[in-house]
Amino acid sequence: MTYVYRFGGGVSDGGKGDKNLLGGKGANLAEMASIGLPVPPGFTISTEMCTRYYEEGEQFPQSLRDEVAAGIAHIEAVTEKRFGDPANPLLVSVRSGARVSMPGMMDTVLNLGLNDDTVEGLAKAADDERFAWDSYRRFIQMYADVVLELDHGAFEEALEIAKEDNGFTLDTEMSAADWKALVAQYKALVEEQWGKPFPQDVHDQLWGAVGAVFGSWQSERAKVYRRLNDIPANWGTAVNVQAMVFGNMGDTSATGVAFTRDPSKGDRAYYGEFLINAQGEDVVAGIRTPQYLTKAAREEAGAKPASMEEAMPEVYRELAAVFDQLETHYRDMQDIEFTVEQAKLWMLQTRSGKRTAKAALKIAVDMANEGLITREEAIARVDPAALDQLLHPTLDPEAKRDVLTKGLPASPGAASGKVVFDADTAEKRAAAGESVILVRVETSPEDIHGMHAAKGILTARGGMTSHAAVVARGMGRPCVSGAGSLAISAKDKVLRCAGREVREGDTLTIDGASGEVMVGEVATVQPELAGDFGTLMEWADAVRRLKVRANAETPLDCKTAREFGAEGVGLCRTEHMFFEADRITAVRQMILASDEQGRRVALDRLLPEQRSDFTAIFEVMAGLPVTVRLLDPPLHEFLPHEEAEFAEVAQAAGLDIDTLKRRANELHEFNPMLGHRGCRLGVTYPEIYEMQARAIFEAAIDVAEKSGEAPIPEVMIPLVATRRELELMKAVVDKAAKLVFAERGREVDYLVGTMIELPRAALKAGEIAEVGEFFSFGTNDLTQTTLGVSRDDAARFLSTYVEQGIYAKDPFVSLDVEGVGELVSLAAERGRATRGDIKLGICGEHGGDPASIAFCEQVGLDYVSASPYRVPIARLAAAQAALRK
């Protein structure tokens, strides 16, 4: 089997279609080389080798060593340099490259091949002693960190002390002699921490770096990133070994990162940053604050340092032509890394760029309108889950702002929260329910868990393509980076700026769209959902088959849902209405009553309240279906606990407190979620469902008479396990409907159906469909009862189950297709066999999950129902599912 694939110098063993084998970086390097772009020669060790490396106890087979030797020979032939040759040394970079982009999560080593001999050869060949020793100190520092896993801070400290001793501010002020002295210090640090001298054999260096890149696939930060982004652990990473080109060879050299369109807003304008006399890590790691790519961007930001367009006009023009060529070739916005070595342009990477939801929408719609992609492709390009970023509030432009400072607008959106200075604290406080802003001098890949937990991220260093910015945009977290006026002490847990102090626990607000950092909390406004959002939703609606409803039980929820395009209510939970302060006493009176007469007295008090609840909902949803679930939860949830609550119920019911307490004790259940709830309440106390049904039909007729547009009530009986239960409850509902229609002299269309949330109901769906006119799959409880797992307690262990591959995802977040999904499929099939026109929907939390929606399309359900803010996500996911089918 072949594990090494070459590229560059007129050779391309792979191409863009080989991402699974070569990783995204390797496949695209081969592709760029094949279309004639200037790519330094190199080779890729495939992802298959990564899998084998772990299977064989982290060992390299001899066959791979032979293939790598041939790969090095290929680079030597193209560059006319020799690996380890003291006179004309070849230096290489060793980089990771997974199938999908994992920015900052995996390891890289640059300038590999330098030692005490080759550094002298490099200095002579380049005629630049300072450049050679700068490259050597970079290599030792990076190799010590990535491969030898030594204390990175000790090397940083040595560099800072060296600069201070010389009175320097910037690395670029250091001379060749300064770098030479620092290299000696670095080597001493390695020997002190590692117990051995820094490796001088270039082949040992190479295999150490390859092993470190494979090793980084199993680093904690990579595992967290994979879990957050649903990337399978068995994919592995490729390793790319490539001839070094140098952006740190003086003022005609540079390095940069660019996007062919703005990844924050989506505008069709080159967007990026570069640094003169620097290497790529300086830009992406946020070590130096970079300069703008274009003159327009520099002027808009009010920055002084010259843009690349102004400083290197000829190379910039060549780069702009490459941008256009790559975007046309890949038919998507590209994220590009490049180096200029003594005025010659080299392309080091291209990939589809990570973007905010706003940018994703704009880019997809613009590219479709430009004819670069089709409308169907535009629909497929936008991640439905990313729409969440657009559906939540932004800062109120009219609100008062106490602006502390301004940084770079690295990832849009706004967030307020309590300041924390490290990732662990961010995760801990967020888990306790607090909103936090993670403040760092600069983020590193190890901060990934804290960045995910935080509402927003603020850094003092770094640009708009630094680690913090790229990861925050991918996560949809607002981020302000490069706020250079901040003095941050993570040790003392304080940030200082303009004579002011902000300590851990104080509140800050950041605006990732403007870069502003504000003291205190700033008011927000609801988003505008027109423009590109409206256009893409229109296109999506034209191709989707599944209807999309909302889970809503208040008029505000219903209004929000309709604004987001909901086509009805798929789940209206009536128990939430019972908890209102002005009616809970009557509910408790009903529950604690010892006979039907006592219950009816309380129910008569509740009827007008229930009717007004349904009227308010039906008014918003006039003309649309509204599925109302009759009372479902265990009665104990409504019981009084405090002495004052018992006294209140006793007074309303005209009973003594001791009697009520005895009754409450009689109602106690050991496992109430599997006890006296759902239709079991209706069977025992049919007068409860009778009152609710009456309220539904009276409200429906009121709205029909008032608006001329009748709602379509769908009365849902919960927790049905048998045909007989549904038959009894349907009789109660039909009787109530008949009475109301006779009293009012008017009828409305309605359906009676059930929620399928028990395995027995799914298995006996054929029989149940003889009575039920619709099924709504309550996948929260169906998951709970099928897996025998309490959704309220499962968080304690489910993450371990996902990590160990027992479940692909948390089954309460994304439907367990193989188990629970099979029951849904079976019930749908058996229900249709009995009643061909039965209406089928899903109303658990899975109704807003794109992967679960794809399954619903596959099974042929009629609709999904999601929380109001997830309705657009469901609309887009349903369209994508229809296109895939």
Side-chain angles (χ1 to χ4, degrees):
M1 180 180 272
T2 301
Y3 289 113
V4 169
Y5 297 77
R6 303 162 302 158
F7 57 82
V11 173
S12 280
D13 291 338
K16 66 179 179 181
D18 297 316
K19 281 186 181 177
N20 291 357
L21 179 67
L22 304 181
K25 187 173 291 188
N28 288 332
L29 283 168
E31 185 73 13
M32 284 197 293
S34 72
I35 60 173
L37 294 182
V39 174
F43 60 86
T44 301
I45 303 173
S46 73
T47 56
E48 289 175 344
M49 186 63 238
C50 183
T51 307
R52 181 173 170 184
Y53 174 74
Y54 281 107
E55 284 172 354
E56 297 184 0
E58 301 182 24
Q59 299 293 317
F60 297 113
Q62 184 56 46
S63 61
L64 178 69
R65 293 179 182 274
D66 297 340
E67 284 189 65
V68 166
I72 291 288
H74 161 67
I75 304 175
E76 290 175 335
V78 177
T79 59
E80 297 180 351
K81 297 174 182 177
R82 293 289 173 269
F83 193 47
D85 181 355
N88 185 26
L90 166 68
L91 304 189
V92 296
S93 63
V94 180
R95 298 170 183 256
S96 64
R99 291 190 199 184
V100 293
S101 173
M102 294 173 63
M105 296 303 112
M106 309 288 287
D107 284 332
T108 292
V109 179
L110 304 178
N111 305 305
L112 190 142
L114 280 172
N115 57 27
D116 294 349
D117 297 327
T118 56
V119 67
E120 302 286 1
L122 182 66
K124 283 180 189 160
D127 194 22
D128 188 341
E129 196 179 19
R130 185 198 171 282
F131 148 72
W133 285 94
D134 175 26
S135 299
Y136 194 16
R137 72 90 193 173
R138 286 170 181 270
F139 171 53
I140 295 172
Q141 186 172 352
M142 194 176 270
Y143 197 90
D145 177 27
V146 170
V147 182
L148 307 182
E149 298 181 336
L150 306 183
D151 177 16
H152 178 68
F155 294 85
E156 278 292 317
E157 191 179 348
L159 172 57
E160 290 304 316
I161 290 168
K163 285 180 356 193
E164 277 176 31
D165 289 349
N166 286 293
F168 299 155
T169 309
L170 301 172
D171 298 2
T172 47
E173 296 172 89
M174 297 277 279
S175 68
D178 296 327
W179 287 133
K180 197 178 286 192
L182 190 64
V183 163
Q185 275 186 267
Y186 276 7
K187 283 161 65 182
L189 272 174
V190 169
E191 191 149 5
E192 179 189 316
Q193 290 188 25
W194 195 41
K196 289 186 275 187
F198 185 81
Q200 295 289 307
D201 185 301
V202 295
H203 296 283
D204 288 347
Q205 292 174 0
L206 177 62
W207 287 104
V210 171
V213 170
F214 279 156
S216 68
W217 178 253
Q218 294 294 358
S219 68
E220 275 311 305
R221 63 179 188 251
K223 286 178 184 175
V224 170
Y225 191 90
R226 287 203 297 271
R227 190 174 71 244
L228 296 178
N229 293 279
D230 296 324
I231 299 169
N234 62 2
W235 278 6
T237 182
V239 179
N240 299 287
V241 179
Q242 189 173 19
M244 281 294 300
V245 287
F246 300 97
N248 59 331
M249 290 185 78
D251 290 344
T252 60
S253 300
T255 188
V257 175
F259 294 82
T260 56
R261 303 192 188 213
D262 185 331
S264 286
K265 298 175 188 169
D267 295 339
R268 193 176 183 184
Y270 305 139
Y271 175 104
E273 299 167 322
F274 86 117
L275 278 169
I276 290 174
N277 196 19
Q279 287 198 337
E281 286 298 296
D282 297 348
V283 179
V284 296
I287 292 165
R288 282 166 56 188
T289 300
Q291 294 153 240
Y292 287 89
L293 205 63
T294 66
K295 182 183 176 185
R298 178 187 68 75
E299 288 174 345
E300 189 183 335
K304 288 181 181 171
S307 67
M308 186 178 180
E309 188 176 6
E310 295 161 303
M312 299 179 160
E314 287 181 24
V315 182
Y316 173 79
R317 277 195 293 276
E318 187 185 350
L319 183 64
V322 170
F323 287 171
D324 293 344
Q325 184 180 350
L326 284 173
E327 188 172 277
T328 304
H329 183 76
Y330 282 94
R331 299 166 66 247
D332 196 7
M333 182 265 274
Q334 294 297 291
D335 168 3
I336 291 160
E337 287 180 25
F338 64 90
T339 285
V340 181
E341 181 183 275
Q342 295 181 321
K344 173 161 176 55
L345 176 68
W346 292 98
M347 303 307 298
L348 303 183
Q349 176 172 295
T350 192
R351 60 188 176 193
S352 290
K354 289 200 175 296
R355 61 207 81 179
T356 64
K358 183 179 180 181
L361 276 172
K362 180 164 180 55
I363 290 168
V365 171
D366 284 355
M367 285 186 166
N369 289 334
E370 290 161 20
L372 195 61
I373 60 176
T374 64
R375 284 185 177 184
E376 286 76 15
E377 285 174 305
I379 292 165
R381 286 276 172 94
V382 180
D383 176 9
L387 291 181
D388 220 17
Q389 294 176 39
L390 299 178
L391 307 177
H392 292 281
T394 51
L395 290 187
D396 182 353
E398 305 299 318
K400 189 179 174 188
R401 302 181 183 208
D402 179 5
V403 179
L404 179 68
T405 186
K406 194 169 182 182
L408 299 169
S411 181
S416 297
K418 292 180 179 177
V419 168
V420 296
F421 291 93
D422 66 90
D424 290 343
T425 305
E427 189 172 51
K428 188 177 173 185
R429 294 183 80 153
E434 292 184 50
S435 295
V436 297
I437 302 293
L438 178 62
V439 177
R440 303 286 280 152
V441 174
E442 60 196 354
T443 62
S444 75
E446 279 73 23
D447 293 324
I448 180 80
H449 59 295
M451 295 174 76
H452 186 255
K455 295 290 183 189
I457 298 135
L458 170 63
T459 68
R461 293 216 294 249
M464 291 193 292
T465 52
S466 65
H467 173 265
V470 172
V471 173
R473 279 198 296 270
M475 287 181 172
R477 297 291 183 278
C479 176
V480 173
S481 64
S485 60
L486 296 180
I488 296 169
S489 171
K491 184 183 171 190
D492 300 326
K493 299 187 183 301
V494 63
L495 70 84
R496 297 180 177 90
C497 182
R500 300 173 73 177
E501 280 191 355
V502 177
R503 296 194 166 271
E504 185 161 284
D506 292 347
T507 299
L508 276 185
T509 297
I510 62 168
D511 187 346
S514 69
E516 285 183 330
V517 180
M518 293 143 278
V519 175
E521 192 166 339
V522 180
T524 56
V525 292
Q526 292 299 316
E528 283 288 321
L529 296 176
D532 297 319
F533 178 90
T535 301
L536 193 78
M537 285 294 116
E538 215 175 279
W539 295 351
D541 290 343
V543 300
R544 72 179 162 88
R545 183 197 62 83
L546 277 167
K547 297 284 185 189
V548 176
R549 300 193 196 179
N551 300 339
E553 46 265 349
T554 68
L556 179 61
D557 283 348
C558 293
K559 189 170 178 293
T560 304
R562 282 210 80 161
E563 285 169 359
F564 285 151
E567 297 160 299
V569 170
L571 177 62
C572 174
R573 303 173 180 93
T574 54
E575 60 271 12
H576 291 186
M577 304 164 178
F578 280 27
F579 283 106
E580 295 285 334
D582 59 352
R583 58 186 83 168
I584 188 67
T585 301
V587 173
R588 286 168 173 166
Q589 183 186 342
M590 173 196 71
I591 291 166
L592 294 171
S594 57
D595 56 23
E596 182 181 336
Q597 187 182 349
R599 283 191 293 277
R600 286 196 180 275
V601 170
L603 288 166
D604 286 345
R605 287 179 58 197
L606 286 168
L607 174 63
E609 303 282 3
Q610 275 273 272
R611 184 171 56 236
S612 70
D613 291 329
F614 295 134
T615 300
I617 288 167
F618 291 158
E619 280 174 346
V620 180
M621 290 289 172
L624 295 174
V626 177
T627 305
V628 180
R629 182 176 72 187
L630 301 187
L631 193 63
D632 179 46
L635 293 180
H636 82 100
E637 290 190 13
F638 300 102
L639 290 177
H641 301 286
E642 308 293 328
E643 202 68 30
E645 292 172 344
F646 273 108
E648 203 176 335
V649 178
Q651 188 180 353
L655 296 168
D656 65 275
I657 292 175
D658 288 340
T659 302
L660 291 180
K661 284 184 175 175
R662 259 197 319 276
R663 176 70 178 142
N665 198 44
E666 287 167 11
L667 291 169
H668 172 74
E669 293 183 284
F670 289 103
N671 194 349
M673 290 312 291
L674 295 176
H676 194 192
R677 56 168 285 218
C679 68
R680 298 158 194 173
L681 289 173
V683 170
T684 321
Y685 309 128
E687 55 275 11
I688 298 176
Y689 281 9
E690 182 188 308
M691 180 279 288
Q692 289 192 292
R694 173 171 277 275
I696 290 167
F697 296 123
E698 287 179 352
I701 288 174
D702 285 346
V703 171
E705 287 175 347
K706 193 173 167 185
S707 69
E709 220 177 350
I712 306 160
E714 297 179 350
V715 183
M716 182 158 74
I717 313 298
L719 214 72
V720 161
T722 70
R723 179 189 187 283
R724 181 62 176 152
E725 284 170 319
L726 184 56
E727 189 175 49
L728 288 171
M729 293 304 93
K730 185 174 187 298
V732 171
V733 174
D734 287 342
K735 183 182 175 186
K738 197 172 178 183
L739 283 169
V740 172
F741 295 165
E743 289 165 13
R744 300 295 296 270
R746 179 169 187 153
E747 296 186 5
V748 292
D749 291 332
Y750 72 95
L751 300 176
V752 179
T754 186
M755 186 179 268
I756 303 287
E757 52 196 319
L758 297 173
R760 189 186 194 283
L763 294 170
K764 304 302 286 181
E767 286 180 14
I768 293 170
E770 291 169 9
V771 181
E773 296 162 305
F774 69 86
F775 288 166
S776 180
F777 292 95
T779 51
N780 298 351
D781 267 3
L782 188 57
T783 297
Q784 189 167 235
T785 53
T786 302
L787 302 184
V789 170
S790 164
R791 61 179 169 174
D792 299 315
D793 303 311
R796 295 175 193 170
F797 62 86
L798 272 180
S799 58
T800 307
Y801 266 52
V802 173
E803 278 169 21
Q804 300 207 16
I806 297 169
Y807 296 125
K809 292 182 185 176
D810 181 334
F812 290 105
V813 174
S814 197
L815 193 69
D816 164 35
V817 171
E818 291 175 357
V820 180
E822 189 162 339
L823 283 174
V824 172
S825 182
L826 186 75
E829 186 186 318
R830 291 182 179 179
R832 284 199 190 105
T834 299
R835 186 186 292 267
D837 62 348
I838 193 167
K839 191 182 283 191
L840 302 172
I842 184 174
C843 64
E845 287 305 305
H846 300 103
D849 168 59
S852 305
I853 290 167
F855 170 77
C856 294
E857 172 66 33
Q858 193 183 320
V859 176
L861 301 190
D862 297 305
Y863 69 86
V864 296
S865 189
S867 62
Y869 277 96
R870 295 187 73 79
V871 165
I873 294 170
R875 287 164 66 194
L876 182 56
Q880 291 178 349
L883 289 172
R884 279 196 296 272
K885 195 174 178 186

